[in-house]
Structures are given as C-alpha cells and as structure tokens.
Amino acid sequence: MNNCRIGVYICMCGTNIAKVVDVEAVASYASGLPNVVLAKTYKYMCSNPGQEMISKDIKDNQLDRVVVAACSPNMHERTFRSALRSAGLNQYLLEMANIREQCSWVHKDTKEATEKAKALVYAAIRRVELHEALESMSVDMCPNLLVIGGGIAGMTAALELADAGNPVYLIEKDDHLGGNLARVDLTAPYLYSARDLITERVTRVMNHKLVNVYLNSKLANLSGYIGNFKATIAPQNGQPAKMNKPAEVDIGNVLVCTGYKEFDASRIVHYGYGKLPNVITSFELEKMIRAGRIETKEGKTPRYVAIIHCVGSRSQEFHTYCSRVCCMTALKYVHEIKSANPSCYISDVYIDMHAFGKGHEDFYRRSSEAKTLFLMYEKDDRPVIHKASPKDDCEMLIEVNEKLSGEIIEIPADLVILMVGMEAREDSHEIARIVNISQDKDGWFIESHPKLEPVATTTDGIFIAGTCVAPKDIPDTVAQARAAAARVLARIAKGKIEVDAVYSEVIEDKCSGCRFCNQLCPYSAIEFDEEKGRSYIISALCKACGVCVAACPSSAIKGRHFTDKQVLAQIDGLF
C-alpha cells in the first residue's frame, strides 16, 4: 500500500533482546525502508513511558500504521493495541515482530541475530501496509449464571453471584448439596467442623431467592456463545429432577465446579484393599468418625492403627502429581483417633510430609508430640500388608523399607487407613465436551493461563474453579470460586461484551455447503444454515485459529486480519 505513514519501535526488553540483537542497527535499517516515517528504540516499550511515546508519535507525526518489534504478541499485543486506541488510531493497524522468543532467545551470534531481526521487522512492515481498520462488535450480556457442581466451590460461587443480584442456576448430580466435603468430619489444621461449614452454605443456597437448585440433574447441552448461552438441564440417570424452572434456560456465563473423585485403592494390590477386611480408605474412616465409632470389622477397638500416605498419588504407575491434602488429613486422623482411643499406637507411613499451608507446620509438630511413629518410604517402594499369624498381637503386619533408618521394619496394625488421592471425575470428559473446554493428561480441566488466568478457560464465558482444575484444599477452593465469581461479575457489570474483530467469515457465494469446516472447528463456532445450504460462522465464538480458512476446499472462508495478501506479503518480506 502506497502513502502509508509507519512508525517502527524496537524494544530492548532490558537486556533480553539488546544483549544479542543490535537494536540500534535494526532501527537504522528500518528507518530507510519505504513508508517508514520514524524508527525508535526504547528499553521497555511495554512500560507506560514506552506506550506514551508511541501514542505521542502517532499524534505528532500523523502515523497511520505501527510496527513494534519486541516479545511475543501473545504477551503484549493487547498492550500496544491500547496505545493505538489512546492516540485515536484503529487498534488493528498494528503489527508485532517477535525478536525476543524467535530471535534473541534462540541465537548467540549477534550478527546473525541482528540480520534475522531486520528480516522479521521488514516482514512486519510489509504486512502492516495491508492492514485494515477493523471494528470490534459488542453483544448483550445475559445476567443469568450457570454453576455446575454443588460442592463447596459451586455453592460459594453461586452465593457470591446471587448476592450481587444475579439469577443463578445450580446443577448438582446427587440428591444433596455439599460434594466431597459433606463426607468429612473435621478439617485440618484447626479441626473445625466440616458439617457446620457445609450446613451454613447449604441453608443459604436453598433459601436464596435468586438461586435455582437442580438436584439429581446434569447439563445435557450448551449452545451459543459468551453472554448468550442456552443451557439444557436434564434428569441424572433417569432420576426425577426437582425443577422449579424450565429445563432450557438462558445463560450469560458458566462456572464449572464439578470436583474430584477419590482414587480406587483396590488398584494397588500390595495394600490388600478389598481382600483384607480391616484395610480401609480415608473416606471410610470419615464415615466411622461421623458415626462416632472407630473399630475393626469385628467390632473391636483397634490397638494398633497405621496410616499410609500417597495411595494413588506421586506414582509413575498411577498419578505422578501430589494430591496436596492427604498429609494434613492423615495428621488430623492422628488427633481424632487419639481423642477416641488415647491408648492406641499410631504409625504414619509417608513418602514426604507436605505441610505447605498456613498453620500446617505447627499442626505437624503437635501431631509428632502425640506420640505418633513416623516412618518414611521411597516413592516407588510401597509398603506391603499381609495378615498376621495367630501368635502376633495384631491383625496385620506392614512391611516397610524404612528410608531414614535403612532397615526393613514390620509394623503391627489392627486397622490400616489408606490416604487415597484425588483424581478427575469419570464424567469430566463429558462435561469438557459439552462446555467446550480442554483437559490435561490426568483429566483435570485446563485454565487459560496457569498463573495469569487461573479460573478462565480458552472458551470465553466458561470458567473453572475448585478441585476439577487440580487437587487443592478448602481455602484455595473457596478463594478460586470467589475469584471466578468476581471475573463473571466484572463482565456482567458492563452490560455488553466486546467481541474481537479478528474472526473468520464465510463468503456465501463460494460456499458449496460441504460442511467440512463444521467438523473441524475446535471452538464449535461454525454452524450450517439448512435453508440456504451454506455454513456460517458465529463471530463471538470464533478465535481466528484459521483451521477453517486453510481447510475449505472452495476457498470460501476469509480470515479477517489474516488475509492471503497480508500473509503472503509477510512471507515475501522475510525472504
């Protein structure tokens, strides 16, 4: 494009770029290229002074295009778009050249790195000449919320959202609220009553005028896009759902809080779970404690109790991750068992003792003072449990290759408690498919960014919180639920949601109606118009990944901001 007025800005990124790339040489080279009005360097272009410099130059020099050579666009493209907007220039008349991750971080030779940086900048200049002033759209934001899961995370988020005056639809697959926490007696490290905590939450949820609770229910279908979803709620496993609202509801945002399930201890044969009657799981012990009796299957009070950590966690064979809550829960059992039976001998068999939370280190110290025998074993050298002989003064013997002493030790036990880890629920794959979010190799839902966006997903309007994301304790679960609720409320407060102007479009005259693109779209953004016999793209759902553009056999799909001319000009600039 002739008669452009382009400003080129080369970032030093401290020494990240300048240590390898001669940024002054790149700026000098760029200043001599056609249509380039000015070229500047700055230590931190993404800083406020750097952005203000760009905005001022746009106004003072009537720039109509901007190229920023810096880090990945994924990191700061939004930052520089904001600088263009503040100067009154359309934000899409920007192009970034990645001379950090693609240049300075992968090269050592300054001369070669500088030449490559020049090529990347020239390619960006050639491309930005063809950029168009695109206009973003906005869509209405429905204030209704859908929360999937009635555990501590789901109930906390539902109350936060409803207290702000927004109607909430809470779906729970069971016939009661509370989730896994409803199965627990006391919580570590302060031994507060979980029952009191849950009762308060359940009562508030059930009595809240803006919270519609659907028990024995599941999400059968979710269609639409952020601010304008339509959810279909159906009975779970043929059970009658107590629905006080229609089964099909309009939703603005969705929060997934489906929780976890405990590891099946019978998968580890060394422990004899399911064969030895007095080998039980942590949740089975919780059931005993809530009933007020800690006893063997024969109804006897156990004299020797052993607690084994990391059952299903931190194992190459099952799950390599740590389930985080098991160590402190095991220490909680030490106090509860000692309280019920002060003369009981307790052995705590662990790999590592993780006391990472507030008050947990003190709790560990108090547990060791309760005359607990701590024994450490190697990660891949599990203890072996077998039935004791009649002459032994116990039901079972546990053989442990004790790491600290270097000896093989036999521990007597009348009752063995297996600290089962957390794993993703068996229905998590189905939930992920319906709400269009991703899972990692262990089945946990994947956040948009593990540090900067821990409750958002790559699908706009779908949020995640609690132990469906990864193992975590109650405080972290509650904090994440409230964080997700805050993100949703911030969007609702605007009334409308802005949709990025970068998306794909179907050219109807060229579309043959083959529906190939419908099957390929990873964001379910393409639908088929039966009446016209043509496909069309829901712009609010489209993420401009370009899969449909590349795959369309009729070349009937155009990627806005990534047109053939723009991409080919960029490639031409590189070579």
Side-chain angles (χ1 to χ4, degrees):
M1 181 178 177
N2 295 324
N3 303 320
C4 286
R5 295 183 63 82
I6 303 172
V8 179
Y9 298 88
I10 319 294
C11 181
M12 300 178 187
C13 198
T15 58
N16 269 298
I17 294 173
K19 187 177 181 181
V20 179
V21 176
D22 185 344
V23 292
E24 296 298 338
V26 176
S28 176
Y29 164 76
S31 64
L33 295 174
N35 295 326
V36 175
V37 175
L38 58 86
K40 291 184 176 181
T41 62
Y42 192 71
K43 192 168 186 178
Y44 293 107
M45 203 64 75
C46 64
S47 65
N48 285 333
Q51 293 178 67
E52 288 167 4
M53 177 178 69
I54 294 172
S55 296
K56 186 175 186 299
D57 285 347
I58 291 171
K59 295 173 182 176
D60 294 348
N61 297 278
Q62 290 81 49
L63 301 180
D64 57 17
R65 301 284 191 284
V66 171
V67 169
V68 178
C71 56
S72 165
N74 191 46
M75 185 73 70
H76 278 303
E77 187 172 45
R78 290 183 181 181
T79 303
F80 296 116
R81 281 183 178 179
S82 177
L84 266 66
R85 285 200 307 271
S86 67
L89 185 64
N90 187 281
Q91 63 178 336
Y92 295 100
L93 297 174
L94 163 79
E95 181 61 21
M96 287 190 69
N98 185 351
I99 62 169
R100 189 179 74 174
E101 285 86 343
Q102 293 180 0
C103 199
S104 68
W105 279 5
V106 291
H107 295 290
K108 294 180 180 178
D109 187 287
T110 296
K111 184 178 179 181
E112 290 182 353
T114 302
E115 289 304 310
K116 183 176 179 181
K118 289 178 182 178
L120 290 169
V121 169
Y122 182 51
I125 291 169
R126 290 292 306 276
R127 177 189 162 99
V128 83
E129 289 174 344
L130 299 172
H131 277 202
E132 300 170 350
L134 305 177
E135 292 301 327
S136 299
M137 300 187 306
S138 61
V139 294
D140 291 333
M141 171 64 72
C142 175
N144 302 343
L145 292 311
L146 179 70
V147 178
I148 308 173
I152 187 65
M155 290 192 294
T156 298
L159 288 170
E160 292 288 325
L161 296 163
D163 285 347
N166 302 289
V168 177
Y169 299 91
L170 177 61
I171 301 175
E172 170 54 47
K173 66 178 183 61
D174 291 328
D175 61 358
H176 62 276
L177 298 175
N180 286 307
L181 188 56
R183 304 158 66 191
V184 175
D185 180 52
L186 301 179
T187 61
Y190 304 114
L191 304 181
Y192 294 153
S193 170
R195 192 175 305 186
D196 291 347
L197 190 157
I198 285 292
T199 301
E200 182 269 341
R201 283 284 192 274
V202 172
T203 303
R204 284 185 60 199
V205 167
M206 296 302 290
N207 293 333
H208 205 295
K209 292 179 180 179
L210 290 176
V211 180
N212 302 281
V213 179
Y214 293 77
L215 300 175
N216 287 322
S217 301
K218 65 178 180 180
L219 178 65
N221 187 51
L222 185 73
S223 59
Y225 50 91
I226 179 172
N228 294 270
F229 291 112
K230 193 171 286 292
T232 303
I233 304 170
Q236 172 80 9
N237 299 325
Q239 296 293 322
K242 297 177 182 177
M243 297 181 179
N244 51 5
K245 293 287 180 183
E248 196 170 82
V249 292
D250 293 323
I251 297 297
N253 293 271
V254 179
L255 179 52
V256 181
C257 307
T258 49
Y260 72 94
K261 71 168 184 174
E262 72 267 27
F263 178 79
D264 180 5
S266 63
R267 292 167 64 187
I268 305 180
V269 296
H270 304 69
Y271 297 147
Y273 179 76
K275 295 179 181 178
L276 297 172
N278 290 310
V279 176
I280 64 172
T281 67
S282 44
F283 276 108
E284 288 170 341
L285 178 66
E286 291 282 2
K287 196 173 181 180
M288 283 188 189
I289 294 169
R290 287 171 69 89
R293 296 187 305 274
I294 300 175
E295 58 189 21
T296 64
K297 293 291 182 184
E298 297 77 22
K300 298 178 182 177
T301 300
R303 188 180 175 196
Y304 301 101
V305 173
I307 303 171
I308 300 178
H309 291 229
C310 297
V311 178
S313 302
R314 307 191 67 209
S315 161
Q316 291 296 330
E317 187 178 352
F318 301 107
H319 300 302
T320 55
Y321 55 79
C322 169
S323 290
R324 292 187 59 178
V325 301
C326 312
C327 288
M328 294 302 105
T329 303
L331 298 185
K332 179 194 77 163
Y333 294 150
V334 169
H335 290 271
E336 289 182 297
I337 294 167
K338 280 284 188 181
S339 177
N341 182 11
S343 62
C344 183
Y345 295 93
I346 302 176
S347 303
D348 190 287
V349 187
Y350 66 97
I351 296 175
D352 293 302
M353 187 62 70
H354 288 189
F356 67 92
K358 184 178 181 180
H360 289 184
E361 195 64 43
D362 289 338
F363 190 53
Y364 179 30
R365 178 184 51 77
R366 295 201 309 272
S367 301
S368 63
E369 291 169 355
K371 296 182 179 178
T372 305
L373 177 63
F374 288 100
L375 300 149
M376 191 176 189
Y377 71 95
E378 286 280 3
K379 190 182 292 186
D380 296 316
D381 189 10
R382 298 189 193 96
V384 178
I385 306 171
H386 54 84
K387 196 163 181 62
S389 65
K391 65 180 182 179
D392 293 310
D393 186 27
C394 57
E395 286 282 325
M396 295 163 285
L397 290 172
I398 305 173
E399 192 176 283
V400 183
N401 187 356
E402 213 282 321
K403 186 176 177 181
L404 298 179
S405 66
E407 298 179 357
I408 295 176
I409 298 173
E410 277 194 336
I411 309 167
D414 296 318
L415 186 66
V416 176
I417 302 156
L418 304 179
M419 301 304 302
V420 288
M422 296 183 186
E423 64 181 12
R425 292 180 48 79
E426 59 275 3
D427 60 356
S428 61
H429 179 72
E430 179 66 11
I431 294 289
R433 182 190 64 78
I434 293 172
V435 301
N436 198 29
I437 58 177
S438 302
Q439 294 173 277
D440 64 16
K441 63 183 176 62
D442 295 306
W444 305 111
F445 297 136
I446 298 176
E447 53 277 89
S448 178
H449 191 289
K451 289 182 171 61
L452 303 179
E453 294 279 4
V455 296
T457 68
T458 52
T459 300
D460 284 342
I462 309 295
F463 296 88
I464 49 179
T467 51
C468 64
V469 185
K472 54 179 63 71
D473 60 5
I474 298 168
D476 284 357
T477 296
V478 170
Q480 201 170 51
R482 285 187 163 145
R487 289 293 309 276
V488 171
L489 290 172
R491 293 189 169 192
I492 292 173
K494 294 179 180 179
K496 289 183 177 291
I497 188 76
E498 188 176 291
V499 178
D500 196 340
V502 182
Y503 54 84
S504 296
E505 294 177 309
V506 175
I507 305 167
E508 279 196 9
D509 293 343
K510 291 185 177 181
C511 180
S512 64
C514 68
R515 307 193 195 188
F516 192 42
C517 57
N518 299 54
Q519 301 168 26
L520 290 175
C521 181
Y523 300 100
S524 304
I526 307 178
E527 294 187 356
F528 188 74
D529 188 326
E530 296 285 352
E531 191 174 314
K532 292 183 178 180
R534 301 285 187 271
S535 290
Y536 66 94
I537 295 172
I538 302 170
S539 55
L541 278 177
C542 179
K543 295 295 179 186
C545 67
V547 170
C548 59
V549 179
C552 180
S554 307
S555 298
I557 305 179
K558 171 190 174 184
R560 286 162 58 100
H561 204 59
F562 289 92
T563 63
D564 291 350
K565 286 184 179 180
Q566 290 169 347
V567 174
L568 290 171
Q570 189 171 20
I571 294 170
D572 189 46
L574 279 173
F575 296 106

